[in-house]
Amino acid sequence: MSKFLVALIPLLPLLGFLIIGLGNKKLSKTLVGFIGCGAILGSFIIVLSLLFPFLNGTAKGETLSYFDWISVGNFKISFSFLVDQLSVIMMTIITGIGFLIHVYSAGYMSHDEGYARYFSYLNLFVFSMLLLVMGSNYVVMFAGWEGVGLCSYLLIGFWFKNTEYNNAAKKAFIMNRIGDLGFLLGMLLIFTTFGTLDYLEVFSRANSVQENSTIIIAITLLLFIGATGKSAQIPLYTWLPDAMAGPTPVSALIHAATMVTAGIYMIVRSNVLYSMSEVTLEIIEIVGLATALFAATIGLVQNDIKKVLAYSTVSQLGYMFFALGLGAYSTGMFHLTTHAFFKALLFLGAGSVIHAMSGEQDIRNMGGLVKKLPITFGTFLIATLAISGIPPFAGFFSKDEILAHAYEHAPFLWGFALVGALMTTFYMFRLLFLTFFGKFRGTEHQRSHLHESPLVMTIPLMILALFSIIAGFIGIPEVLGGSNFLKKFLSPVITSQGAETYAALSHAVEYRLMGASVGAVLVVIFITWFYYVQREVRPAKEGEQISTPHKVLYNKYYIDEIYNSIIVKPLKWFSDKFYSILELKVIDGFVNSWGKGVNLGSSAIRHVQSGSISFYLLVMVAGIILILLINNLI
Amino acid sequence: MNAIIILSSLGIIAMLAEMFSFKKSLWYLVLAGLAVVFVVNLLDWNLDTPEQQFKNMILFDNYAVAFGGLIIILVFAWFLISYNHYKDSELNVSDHFSLIIFSSVGALILVSYTHLSMLFLGVEILSIPLYILAGSMKKDLASNEASLKYFMLGAFATGILLFGITMLYGATGTFNIVEIGMYVQKSSEISILFYSGLMLVLIALAFKVSAAPFHFWTPDVYQGAPVLITAFMATIVKTAAFAAFFRLFSNSFGLIINDWNFILSIITALTIVLGNILAAYQTSVKRLLAYSGISQAGYLLMTILAVNQESSKMALLLYTASYSISTLGAFGVLYHVMKSKGSDSLDSFNSLGKTQPLLGFVMAVSMLSLAGIPPTIGFFAKFYLFSNLLSMGNTYLWLVIVAIVGSLVSVYYYFKVIIAMYAKEGAASPLMLTTFHRALLIIITGLIIIIGLAPGILVSMDNFKI
């Protein structure tokens, strides 16, 4: 593995960021698009050259050290990358999907005045995300972790003239910071416990700590808090739906395919530690499942096309965490991979719809787009089938693996997970039917503008659709004649023992589970079709009477309001009080009194400087006499 | 040694410029000469047996070469800054230049002497041209007053220095600083005459570096003298005086440090406190820089308290370099502001950051560096200085605390300038900077920041031992 080539992977996007960022005003749009996409394509090609040796099984994980980053006493952090099966998968997703979304953006953002700014941020994001997954120690990961947080902030608030968007950006940033604090504390705890922050060293020293001891529970929980922030899990998930304020390709790249999966990557990376703490795994499992169901119920009644997808993302991330909590790390990675394709596709498809609808995002004002946007519809349909878990689309295999793990763990968990999956099917098909079927419900002005997106946007859609169909084949279970390639592929990285006992299920049980879930999904699709296409039921308009449960769901369980009144408002009250009492009176008083003292002293002593030479000489002589006196006394 | 000879010749040539009327090209000649002096000075670097000259009166060891190099660079920079001033004015260029050069000769002697009479001569050669230059604005009352004050108080200090040297000779029978050190080492009982001599020399040198309570001349002289002469006094003279101070005390009195460190630590604390407190009240930037110079002298005295530490020389070199570069930057800006606004008051800096972004930036960076705020060289110099003193144990912990509190106070007045430049409204000045001056100011600022960011390039060079 060439050190130089590997270094180029994150460096190319960084260079792209610098060139576009510094040459902002001077570069033409074409050149900006070319540099922005070219940098990611370059990285992608290098990543592929790394991926294939790993797929053949000829390459092994390798740590590449570049330089000592921090070196103080015994504390040493090297700037180094760890290239192994796990990071290569992540790098492929980031650069591959990243490249497609860059290309799509070139079309989507072509009329925006902030075109260059957009591409510079996007390149910076890819750089940070690559740093996050390539680092060989927690510090490099943390640097990337913070970097993607910053880019997310910048891109959510990309249209900064809108105050609401800015607030959404701030909300995302602040909630992420809460999680980051947990991550940081977890890191510090790892360092004080193991004396190093390098992954491989930490894992090799993990035996020095007892399983299920307080310290390992604390470390894993703190890291998990970091993950809940970045990956939008209960209780830190509310930023993600608001983050839809950013341009749609950003939602696809950052808030669906890559950044939000950082928490999952981090836990899979630290699986050795997590497998040592049953309590934490239980908590992850509960939080994951709860988030999956909770977000899915909200998604059922949302009317903003991007909001539905956002809650769907939260819900799917919940599934991934659920899998991790079950100890099925490779299954979590599997779902992460398939989800990255079909969710990016859904977002880009939504972007194509929004583009055609002149910025309209409310599905109540859409309908009948199937004829005007055939490619968008086709690809959107494939993604919807994939996320619903219809075989042989990608989502079927990964979701089925999660369900099987759940059943193996406890049948009632399987039940809950299936309910979540059915809700997913419902809201996705509701979205599909309301958007593409029936009559057009928008304004005349919108109707006249309806058009299929240009090729630069539809080609990425088609490529992603292809992968939404075939990506599941990397993890075909044995029962269907496959060999679960991904699980074997990741086995060098997932070294924790005894976690994956999925093989315990007999084939007969597995067939029955699959049949049940696919059958239930088909029934739900039919119900949805009957309801929204056959009977042409339309979601309630604003202000219309709706039932109480519906209202609660529509208002997202009032979670934002609850957070506002139990956390934000008391916090504001405290900070007001602290400001008016502690800050203004105590601290300012203390500080200012020093200032006044200095000024007073200054104005008093100033008069000694009288300008009279005889006085100066007098003081000098007095000083000399004093010095000689003191010197003789001691 | 050759550096001193060439520099002296350069001074004489400068004097002849008037007579043989090559005044126009004198400036270029001086710069070329200084470049030659710099190279010649470097030739003495790392000699196996450094040259003893004039019967052990002068020794160009690495210490002398390093400080000599710094001084020559500063003089060079001074000439660059003063380019326009002498080009445009009616002043007698050749007299001025030769006086400055002779004063620099004194500075070179002060960093290389090994004989107390050379110390005395160096101090005199350094000072006498400055007595004249301080009064070079003949029609300005303040300038005349500054000249007279400087001269009278300086003469007084010279008297004390000579008195001290005499006593030391009386006690030891030698003028050579190394032999005095050997006397201290060998004799079982040191006479009271010796201690009195030591104290008088210490007082005289404290006067030269403007330490309290012998600092009174500084604000008046700095303010009265022409701004460029003040810049010269604040940087080159101070560097040379400290180099001389350190050289004497490390060679002669290092072994009996416990007999004088108490007095010196009191002087140090007093200097830091007084300098900073008095600076806080100033409304004239020139005077503010004078008081800043006093408080910075307090920090520099901390290297002399750690005179037996090997790293103290580096700390002193670094701090004098940092202080001098930053102060030159500040005076460079002050000179332009005074020229365009005719006043050195704080108000004349109002909105400079907007009307003259470059000048504002240079001034801001200089102020940050003087206050010791990263990423400037001033931060690193202070850090190195304090950690050097603390590496001796906790004896001087209290002094470091005083020094840090002093730095906090200093932030107040340094930031007054920055606030005036960026937050206050003021009239635009009709100032036009030449490309030459722009480049110069950018280089100074660049040095302040680059060395501040990567101090390793100065400190950790393997073969850079002084």
Side-chain angles (χ1 to χ4, degrees):
Chain A
M1 215 175 292
S2 152
K3 249 171 117 166
F4 174 70
L5 270 187
V6 173
L8 272 187
I9 297 173
L11 275 183
L12 286 176
L14 181 67
L15 272 178
F17 159 69
L18 289 176
I19 294 171
I20 300 171
L22 294 175
N24 195 346
K25 298 268 155 55
K26 288 167 197 137
L27 301 176
S28 70
K29 275 192 177 183
T30 333
L31 199 57
V32 165
F34 189 73
I35 295 172
C37 300
I40 311 296
L41 181 65
S43 298
F44 180 56
I45 290 168
I46 301 173
V47 169
L48 284 184
S49 77
L50 296 180
L51 177 69
F52 287 118
F54 275 106
L55 291 178
N56 295 337
T58 50
K60 276 192 185 136
E62 213 176 305
T63 306
L64 305 167
S65 280
Y66 290 90
F67 54 90
D68 282 344
W69 191 7
I70 305 164
S71 174
V72 183
N74 293 330
F75 179 70
K76 215 173 102 181
I77 296 295
S78 66
F79 192 90
S80 50
F81 291 145
L82 174 61
V83 181
D84 62 2
Q85 287 83 353
L86 181 59
S87 57
V88 161
I89 289 193
M90 290 299 289
M91 281 146 69
T92 314
I93 295 173
I94 294 162
T95 52
I97 297 185
F99 171 64
L100 292 176
I101 292 176
H102 271 72
V103 172
Y104 178 95
S105 297
Y108 189 83
M109 300 296 287
S110 55
H111 303 302
D112 201 283
E113 49 183 320
Y115 190 76
R117 192 162 54 90
Y118 173 85
F119 271 97
S120 69
Y121 290 167
L122 218 54
N123 271 0
L124 181 64
F125 167 78
V126 174
F127 162 72
S128 309
M129 191 70 207
L130 285 169
L131 210 59
L132 194 162
V133 299
M134 291 174 74
S136 81
N137 56 52
Y138 285 98
V139 182
V140 178
M141 185 199 258
F142 189 70
W145 190 274
E146 293 296 317
V148 291
L150 170 73
C151 297
S152 161
Y153 166 81
L154 291 172
L155 284 163
I156 295 170
F158 181 74
W159 288 305
F160 54 83
K161 283 173 187 159
N162 185 324
T163 318
E164 240 177 78
Y165 293 179
N166 282 332
N167 287 340
K170 279 188 247 170
K171 184 174 175 183
F173 198 69
I174 291 168
M175 296 203 106
N176 266 299
R177 295 301 304 171
I178 299 172
D180 293 352
L181 181 65
F183 186 12
L184 193 61
L185 289 176
M187 253 169 66
L188 296 177
L189 205 53
I190 289 177
F191 183 71
T192 53
T193 312
F194 301 109
T196 174
L197 283 165
D198 188 89
Y199 299 141
L200 300 180
E201 285 178 36
V202 170
F203 304 150
S204 66
R205 294 179 201 176
N207 299 336
S208 62
V209 181
Q210 284 242 303
E211 277 194 26
N212 297 318
S213 58
T214 328
I215 191 83
I216 197 80
I217 294 176
I219 289 174
T220 47
L221 271 184
L222 284 169
L223 291 183
F224 177 58
I225 289 174
T228 56
K230 192 76 45 201
S231 297
Q233 295 297 293
I234 291 175
L236 297 177
Y237 73 92
T238 57
W239 65 270
L240 186 57
D242 287 18
M244 297 302 126
T248 308
V250 168
S251 309
L253 179 63
I254 302 186
H255 303 118
T258 55
M259 185 189 85
V260 288
T261 60
I264 287 136
Y265 166 76
M266 189 248 279
I267 290 178
V268 174
R269 177 57 85 194
S270 320
N271 67 78
V272 175
L273 301 180
Y274 277 89
S275 292
M276 290 172 69
S277 167
E278 281 170 22
V279 184
T280 315
L281 285 182
E282 289 289 320
I283 291 173
I284 295 177
E285 178 193 315
I286 294 167
V287 169
L289 186 59
T291 311
L293 294 175
F294 191 77
T297 54
I298 300 175
L300 294 176
V301 296
Q302 297 305 311
N303 293 327
D304 183 316
I305 185 168
K306 285 181 73 182
K307 281 273 160 73
V308 176
L309 294 177
Y311 280 104
S312 160
T313 305
V314 175
S315 172
Q316 296 300 315
L317 289 167
Y319 273 108
M320 296 173 211
F321 276 101
F322 177 56
L324 300 182
L326 296 170
Y329 301 108
S330 70
T331 311
M333 279 305 292
F334 186 21
H335 198 54
L336 185 159
T337 311
T338 56
H339 176 255
F341 289 112
F342 59 69
K343 189 48 72 65
L345 174 54
L346 284 171
F347 267 111
L348 294 186
S352 177
V353 170
I354 296 167
H355 195 67
M357 293 286 297
S358 324
E360 177 68 62
Q361 299 196 11
D362 195 323
I363 48 175
R364 286 172 296 194
N365 300 332
M366 297 179 182
L369 299 182
V370 61
K371 283 183 206 115
K372 299 278 184 186
L373 305 172
I375 301 175
T376 306
F377 169 72
T379 52
F380 203 89
L381 177 68
I382 289 170
T384 307
L385 290 170
I387 193 175
S388 303
I390 303 290
F393 296 97
F396 164 73
F397 297 100
S398 56
K399 191 174 278 183
D400 182 68
E401 206 174 305
I402 297 176
L403 289 177
H405 274 292
Y407 188 84
E408 179 261 331
H409 213 70
F412 79 94
L413 286 179
W414 175 81
F416 278 126
L418 181 61
V419 170
L422 297 180
M423 285 195 278
T424 309
T425 311
F426 178 80
Y427 64 65
M428 284 313 303
F429 274 92
R430 170 177 174 268
L431 185 67
L432 182 82
F433 291 144
L434 285 175
T435 307
F436 291 101
F437 288 74
K439 290 194 191 81
F440 186 73
R441 299 181 293 276
T443 61
E444 274 310 306
H445 174 75
Q446 284 168 338
R447 183 197 293 275
S448 63
H449 273 85
L450 280 181
H451 61 281
E452 179 60 284
S453 299
L455 275 180
V456 67
M457 286 165 72
T458 48
I459 289 176
L461 288 182
M462 291 186 269
I463 296 175
L464 282 171
L466 176 69
F467 280 98
S468 297
I469 298 170
I470 63 168
F473 299 155
I474 59 172
I476 298 175
E478 283 165 32
V479 60
L480 294 180
S483 57
N484 205 340
F485 172 76
L486 186 72
K487 194 172 159 186
K488 289 203 188 100
F489 182 68
L490 283 175
S491 58
V493 181
I494 297 166
T495 48
S496 41
Q497 297 290 312
E500 315 214 15
T501 52
Y502 162 45
L505 287 181
S506 71
H507 283 186
V509 177
E510 278 195 51
Y511 279 127
R512 249 177 281 155
L513 292 181
M514 271 181 209
S517 62
V518 172
V521 164
L522 289 175
V523 171
V524 170
I525 293 175
F526 175 75
I527 295 172
T528 319
W529 174 81
F530 182 72
Y531 202 63
Y532 287 105
V533 180
Q534 192 67 21
R535 302 242 324 256
E536 297 201 0
V537 177
R538 296 290 163 252
K541 295 204 169 58
E542 287 308 317
E544 233 172 85
Q545 277 294 324
I546 44 178
S547 65
T548 315
H550 188 173
K551 207 163 146 190
V552 171
L553 288 184
Y554 187 67
N555 287 304
K556 308 145 197 166
Y557 295 100
Y558 298 100
I559 292 291
D560 277 329
E561 287 76 6
I562 293 170
Y563 279 1
N564 204 21
S565 53
I566 66 167
I567 295 173
V568 177
K569 275 189 186 154
L571 211 60
K572 266 192 173 166
W573 184 83
F574 270 115
S575 66
D576 266 353
K577 290 293 161 213
F578 273 115
Y579 178 69
S580 58
I581 296 170
L582 198 68
E583 168 78 22
L584 283 186
K585 290 184 183 150
V586 181
I587 296 176
D588 273 8
F590 178 73
V591 172
N592 287 341
S593 65
W594 272 90
K596 278 179 196 145
V598 169
N599 262 340
L600 216 66
S602 187
S603 65
I605 309 173
R606 191 165 63 105
H607 298 297
V608 178
Q609 191 78 32
S610 59
S612 144
I613 297 192
S614 49
F615 177 74
Y616 291 175
L617 284 176
L618 185 71
V619 177
M620 265 179 79
V621 171
I624 294 168
I625 293 171
L626 207 65
I627 287 174
L628 290 176
L629 261 183
I630 295 172
N631 197 49
N632 282 349
L633 287 180
I634 52 170
Chain B
M1 183 60 221
N2 293 329
I4 294 180
I5 297 172
I6 298 173
L7 195 60
S8 306
S9 322
L10 192 64
I12 296 169
I13 293 170
M15 266 166 67
L16 298 177
E18 181 78 34
M19 218 182 298
F20 294 99
S21 55
F22 53 99
K23 261 164 70 180
K24 289 245 164 67
S25 48
L26 182 57
W27 187 77
Y28 301 97
L29 189 71
V30 169
L31 285 186
L34 281 171
V36 172
V37 173
F38 183 75
V39 173
V40 169
N41 177 57
L42 277 191
L43 291 180
D44 286 338
W45 179 256
N46 257 349
L47 292 180
D48 293 334
T49 46
E51 292 177 84
Q52 289 273 353
Q53 305 280 354
F54 296 123
K55 300 192 191 285
N56 296 349
M57 283 191 152
I58 277 180
L59 173 70
F60 266 86
D61 49 8
N62 278 358
Y63 178 87
V65 175
F67 278 95
L70 174 63
I71 284 168
I72 297 164
I73 292 173
L74 291 173
V75 174
F76 194 85
W78 184 89
F79 271 102
L80 292 178
I81 289 178
S82 57
Y83 172 60
N84 272 21
H85 183 66
Y86 288 102
K87 205 176 103 188
D88 303 344
S89 71
E90 303 289 307
L91 291 169
N92 190 329
V93 179
S94 87
D95 289 358
H96 273 252
F97 282 10
S98 61
L99 284 173
I100 287 288
I101 294 169
F102 286 139
S103 187
S104 311
V105 171
L108 282 189
I109 293 175
L110 280 179
V111 301
S112 59
Y113 72 95
T114 48
H115 194 278
L116 288 178
S117 67
M118 289 311 283
L119 169 66
F120 169 72
L121 279 178
V123 167
E124 290 308 294
I125 297 174
L126 179 76
S127 305
I128 292 172
L130 288 174
Y131 299 150
I132 306 165
L133 287 170
S136 61
M137 288 191 294
K138 279 174 274 187
K139 287 170 193 158
D140 182 44
L141 208 58
S143 177
N144 283 305
E145 190 190 328
S147 173
L148 196 62
K149 260 185 195 165
Y150 194 23
F151 172 63
M152 290 184 72
L153 291 165
F156 192 77
T158 306
I160 294 169
L161 179 66
L162 271 180
F163 197 15
I165 290 175
T166 318
M167 284 184 171
L168 286 176
Y169 182 72
T172 62
T174 176
F175 281 121
N176 188 293
I177 55 173
V178 182
E179 285 170 18
I180 292 175
M182 273 152 34
Y183 163 82
V184 172
Q185 196 178 7
K186 280 177 191 155
S187 52
S188 50
E189 199 179 337
I190 297 167
S191 72
I192 186 79
L193 201 62
F194 183 85
Y195 284 122
S196 307
L198 193 166
M199 280 302 142
L200 289 176
V201 172
L202 187 146
I203 288 162
L205 289 172
F207 172 88
K208 279 290 156 198
V209 300
S210 65
F214 313 108
H215 66 278
F216 286 101
W217 61 277
T218 318
D220 293 5
V221 173
Y222 277 21
Q223 189 168 31
V227 61
L228 288 171
I229 303 302
T230 310
F232 188 86
M233 288 194 283
T235 55
I236 292 143
V237 173
K238 191 155 275 183
T239 302
F242 264 105
F245 204 152
F246 189 92
R247 194 173 174 86
L248 178 62
F249 275 64
S250 72
N251 279 306
S252 302
F253 309 131
L255 285 173
I256 46 167
I257 186 167
N258 289 329
D259 291 322
W260 50 266
N261 64 355
F262 176 71
I263 296 283
L264 191 62
S265 58
I266 298 290
I267 291 178
T268 307
L270 199 63
T271 309
I272 292 173
V273 170
L274 271 182
N276 280 319
I277 287 186
L278 282 166
Y281 213 80
Q282 302 309 320
T283 50
S284 147
V285 174
K286 210 171 162 193
R287 211 170 166 83
L288 189 149
L289 286 172
Y291 281 108
S292 140
I294 295 174
S295 69
Q296 302 281 357
Y299 298 119
L300 280 162
L301 283 173
M302 293 167 82
T303 58
I304 291 168
L305 284 171
V307 83
N308 291 329
Q309 293 279 97
E310 197 43 49
S311 55
S312 287
K313 288 175 187 170
M314 195 65 211
L316 181 67
L317 182 66
L318 197 62
Y319 204 97
T320 45
S322 147
Y323 163 76
S324 301
I325 295 175
S326 312
T327 306
L328 266 187
F331 272 108
V333 176
L334 179 65
Y335 166 70
H336 288 296
V337 170
M338 282 179 73
K339 208 167 104 183
S340 72
K341 300 233 172 126
S343 153
D344 60 357
S345 71
L346 207 50
D347 292 337
S348 55
F349 276 78
N350 283 355
S351 87
L352 190 71
K354 285 162 218 153
T355 53
Q356 292 284 340
L358 178 71
L359 285 183
F361 181 70
V362 174
M363 193 68 177
V365 171
S366 299
M367 292 289 116
L368 289 176
S369 179
L370 286 171
I373 288 170
T376 57
I377 181 174
F379 164 75
F380 181 71
K382 271 207 175 66
F383 172 78
Y384 198 81
L385 187 81
F386 292 165
S387 60
N388 177 48
L389 194 60
L390 283 179
S391 66
M392 292 167 48
N394 283 340
T395 332
Y396 295 114
L397 184 62
W398 67 275
L399 192 59
V400 172
I401 293 172
V402 169
I404 289 174
V405 172
S407 306
L408 293 181
V409 174
S410 78
V411 171
Y412 169 71
Y413 58 81
Y414 288 129
F415 271 62
K416 271 206 319 204
V417 181
I418 297 180
I419 289 169
M421 290 191 299
Y422 288 97
K424 289 192 176 158
E425 292 300 318
S429 54
L431 185 57
M432 284 299 288
L433 277 182
T434 58
T435 323
F436 171 75
H437 273 110
R438 270 174 207 283
L440 180 64
L441 288 172
I442 289 170
I443 290 172
I444 290 178
T445 320
L447 275 179
I448 294 175
I449 293 175
I450 290 169
I451 304 180
L453 281 177
I457 53 175
L458 265 189
V459 180
S460 55
M461 278 196 298
D462 288 333
N463 50 3
F464 193 66
K465 287 197 82 71
I466 54 174

